[in-house]
């Protein structure tokens, strides 16, 4: 459960190449998180419900497969959770997918006030593979952009 107003949650698996993108973003942000922002890395979407519980804003970063070029960053999707499967969030290598976590959070009354989903297009989800260069570049860019955005909004006195 987040004690902060904002939580960034990276979702993924280190064992399947580009599937580690969300975890890598969380690790980069977690080294020096913006003030008032909690950062969590989850290997399973079921842990998302606990991670975002109590947060006014949750930003979830995960790898996705939509057919776009690897390293493409997809931002905020409307109509959660219905839009997630159409946009490539099918659960991937996680035992439960993001859609399942949204459904569970809704059923338990434990969704964050606002949920923002950021997807990094993966190219190689082969077991044991490293992250591909375009995805690694997108991870670094996404972490930097989230840090800048959240820091700027905090300085301005706005939650988001």
């Amino acid at each position: 459960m987040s004690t902060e107003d904002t939580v960034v949650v990276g979702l993924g698996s280190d064992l399947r190449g580009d599937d580690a993108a969300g975890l890598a973003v969380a690790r980069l942000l977690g080294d020096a998180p913006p003030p008032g922002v909690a950062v969590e890395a989850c290997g399973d979407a079921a842990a998302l419900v606990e991670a975002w519980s109590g947060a006014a804003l949750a930003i979830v970063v995960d790898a996705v497969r939509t057919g776009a070029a690897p390293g493409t960053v997809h931002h905020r999707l409307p109509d959660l959770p219905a839009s997630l499967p159409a946009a490539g969030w099918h659960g991937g290598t996680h035992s439960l997918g993001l859609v399942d976590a949204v459904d569970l959070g809704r059923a338990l009354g434990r969704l964050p006030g606002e949920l923002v989903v950021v997807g990094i297009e993966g190219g190689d989800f082969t077991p044991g593979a490293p992250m591909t260069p375009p995805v690694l570049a997108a991870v670094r860019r996404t972490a930097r952009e989230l840090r800048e955005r959240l820091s700027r909004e905090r300085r301005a006195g706005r939650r988001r």
Side-chain angles (χ1 to χ4, degrees):
M1 176 179 247
S2 176
T3 59
E4 301 294 347
D5 186 45
T6 300
V7 62
V8 176
V9 184
L11 183 61
S13 170
D14 285 319
L15 303 176
R16 299 184 68 85
D18 291 338
D19 196 34
L23 296 175
V25 169
R27 289 179 186 128
L28 288 172
L29 278 175
D31 289 342
V37 176
V39 180
E40 302 279 340
C42 296
D44 190 301
L48 282 173
V49 176
E50 185 62 27
W52 69 35
S53 185
L57 170 65
I59 301 171
V60 178
V61 184
D62 195 8
V64 64
R65 267 191 247 199
T66 69
T72 300
V73 179
H74 306 274
H75 293 278
R76 192 169 182 190
L77 300 170
D79 191 26
L80 294 173
S83 65
L84 293 173
W89 272 275
H90 297 285
T93 62
H94 321 303
S95 61
L96 288 177
L98 180 54
V99 173
D100 300 306
V102 171
D103 287 342
L104 180 60
R106 183 174 286 131
L108 296 174
R110 294 180 64 191
L111 284 175
E114 181 180 356
L115 176 60
V116 175
V117 179
V118 178
I120 297 176
E121 188 76 29
D124 186 355
F125 294 87
T126 304
M131 262 193 287
T132 59
V135 172
L136 188 54
V139 161
R140 291 179 179 137
R141 186 174 63 251
T142 300
R144 183 181 65 249
E145 290 171 358
L146 284 173
R147 182 184 314 283
E148 290 169 359
R149 171 191 166 193
L150 293 168
S151 295
R152 183 176 54 251
E153 291 170 355
R154 291 293 171 177
R155 283 192 305 270
R158 289 176 276 142
R159 176 181 59 82
R160 43 178 195 83

